[in-house]
Amino acid sequence: MANNQFKRGELYSVINAMAAAAIARRMQKNFRTAGLEITIEQWSILYHLWKEDGLNQQQLCDKTFRDKPSITRLIDNLVKLSLVERKVSQTDKRVNYIFLTETAKNLQDQTIEIANQTMDEALIGISKAEIETVKNVLQKVYDNLNNQ
Amino acid sequence: MANNQFKRGELYSVINAMAAAAIARRMQKNFRTAGLEITIEQWSILYHLWKEDGLNQQQLCDKTFRDKPSITRLIDNLVKLSLVERKVSQTDKRVNYIFLTETAKNLQDQTIEIANQTMDEALIGISKAEIETVKNVLQKVYDNLNNQ
DNA sequence: TTTGAATAGTTGCATAAACAACTATTATGG
DNA sequence: CCATAATAGTTGTTTATGCAACTATTCAAA
């Protein structure tokens, strides 16, 4: 069938456009509804800093699967919003450590609650086993494309 | 545990940044290697037109999970590349039908082969059952966030 | 010790997304 | 028939991504 050749390629648009973008839009909307003027991309940086403050930009690249320019600019924007500060390492002047401001620290509980509620909305009717399968498959996909 | 509150929210960044973006980057790279100067977003529009030529912009919005401005600009760029043409409906002047040019028609086989090869690379070691689970879960996520 | 490689980060440029506000056209209810 | 709502598409603005090319600093090997 001529139409058959489409089926594998279609999976990409399903994965990308559908679920991930839909979750992102909903999470952004829930942030705005709560009066929080940060983007989900900015939040994803803060998220890792709440777990471990003072990461450098390269570590944030690795943890968020972004490249260096993306992190540079996200940090630029977070600095403008007074949510983080850059501090150059004294032992290696190539390295910038990123630290949360008090303002950002105070956002942690509220925004993580919103993120969790969003995921609860998204995951209605989906079992823990299914979620585990999805995580494992996506991890394998990432490894297939990057570990070589 | 303080760290436990992160777990649900983390799923978003896993889904989004990891697998979808990794597949997108690889597919883009494979296009370039083959000498094809189109983006995966442009390809995703052509993909639906190869299945059914002459869709209007709203139909492309629905099929690709994008909003109207995104489609307008993607079509703008495809027109610049002489890959599609807009034709205003004669029965409803609000509607633009989008038609493939001969150039675009000739890209179909090659690009779909590349997309399929990319997905084969991405899906090494993943069973059909797992793929089905992922598709079903992402469809449910999309429905949870949009059908209400 | 010095030269070249590796690492960390930045800048330029093009593409794309989200949202709000807008125009143009068609459909509908009184 | 007309006012209003709904629909299709466009434009403006901000944010983010990817890639290539760049600077600055540190490491490592001859």
Side-chain angles (χ1 to χ4, degrees):
Chain A
M1 298 296 294
N3 222 29
N4 224 8
Q5 68 179 318
F6 288 98
K7 290 207 175 147
R8 283 174 296 160
E10 184 150 18
L11 188 56
Y12 160 69
S13 50
V14 173
I15 289 178
N16 181 31
M18 229 168 81
I23 294 172
R25 280 191 298 266
R26 176 60 61 89
M27 208 177 291
Q28 184 75 67
K29 184 180 167 190
N30 288 350
F31 279 170
R32 303 188 110 212
T33 303
L36 297 169
E37 292 301 317
I38 59 171
T39 68
I40 45 154
E41 292 84 3
Q42 292 164 359
W43 177 83
S44 74
I45 300 293
L46 298 180
Y47 176 92
H48 290 282
L49 293 174
W50 286 321
K51 285 204 274 192
E52 185 180 353
D53 203 6
L55 294 168
N56 66 40
Q57 295 189 198
Q58 183 58 54
Q59 290 171 317
L60 287 168
C61 292
D62 298 337
K63 288 177 184 292
T64 66
F65 308 98
R66 292 182 171 90
D67 67 358
K68 290 164 190 275
S70 295
I71 294 296
T72 294
R73 279 146 176 155
L74 282 173
I75 301 296
D76 286 347
N77 286 338
L78 285 168
V79 168
K80 279 185 206 156
L81 293 169
S82 301
L83 292 172
V84 304
E85 291 172 358
R86 281 190 174 91
K87 289 186 186 165
V88 176
S89 165
Q90 289 312 298
T91 58
D92 184 343
K93 290 176 186 166
R94 295 172 300 184
V95 174
N96 287 340
Y97 294 120
I98 311 300
F99 290 95
L100 295 162
T101 63
E102 285 305 309
T103 310
K105 286 178 186 169
N106 292 332
L107 289 177
Q108 173 172 348
D109 289 347
Q110 189 183 6
T111 62
I112 287 179
E113 184 55 31
I114 290 171
N116 285 341
Q117 284 172 2
T118 305
M119 291 311 297
D120 288 345
E121 292 177 60
L123 297 177
I124 290 168
I126 300 170
S127 71
K128 290 200 173 187
E130 287 173 313
I131 293 172
E132 276 312 301
T133 300
V134 170
K135 285 172 73 171
N136 289 337
V137 167
L138 298 186
Q139 178 71 56
K140 278 190 202 168
V141 165
Y142 183 81
D143 291 343
N144 282 339
L145 297 179
N146 293 278
N147 291 351
Q148 41 185 334
Chain B
M1 297 297 292
N3 221 29
N4 222 9
Q5 66 179 318
F6 288 97
K7 290 210 175 140
R8 282 172 297 160
E10 187 150 14
L11 189 57
Y12 160 69
S13 51
V14 173
I15 290 179
N16 182 32
M18 230 168 80
I23 295 172
R25 281 191 298 265
R26 175 60 60 90
M27 208 176 290
Q28 183 75 66
K29 185 181 169 188
N30 289 350
F31 280 169
R32 305 188 107 211
T33 302
L36 296 169
E37 292 301 318
I38 58 171
T39 68
I40 44 155
E41 290 84 2
Q42 292 164 359
W43 176 83
S44 74
I45 300 293
L46 299 179
Y47 176 92
H48 290 282
L49 294 173
W50 287 321
K51 285 204 275 191
E52 185 180 353
D53 202 9
L55 293 169
N56 66 41
Q57 297 189 198
Q58 182 58 53
Q59 289 171 316
L60 287 169
C61 292
D62 298 337
K63 287 178 186 289
T64 65
F65 308 100
R66 291 182 172 90
D67 68 359
K68 290 164 190 276
S70 295
I71 295 297
T72 293
R73 279 149 177 154
L74 282 173
I75 301 297
D76 286 347
N77 286 339
L78 286 168
V79 168
K80 279 185 208 158
L81 294 169
S82 301
L83 293 173
V84 305
E85 291 172 358
R86 282 190 172 93
K87 290 185 184 164
V88 176
S89 165
Q90 290 311 299
T91 57
D92 184 343
K93 290 175 185 166
R94 293 171 300 184
V95 174
N96 288 339
Y97 294 119
I98 312 300
F99 289 96
L100 295 162
T101 63
E102 285 306 309
T103 310
K105 286 177 187 169
N106 292 333
L107 289 178
Q108 173 173 348
D109 289 346
Q110 189 183 6
T111 61
I112 288 179
E113 184 54 31
I114 291 171
N116 285 340
Q117 284 173 3
T118 305
M119 290 312 297
D120 288 344
E121 292 177 60
L123 298 178
I124 290 168
I126 299 169
S127 70
K128 290 200 173 185
E130 286 173 314
I131 294 171
E132 276 312 301
T133 299
V134 170
K135 286 171 72 171
N136 289 338
V137 166
L138 299 186
Q139 178 71 55
K140 276 190 203 168
V141 165
Y142 184 81
D143 292 343
N144 282 340
L145 297 179
N146 293 278
N147 291 350
Q148 41 185 336

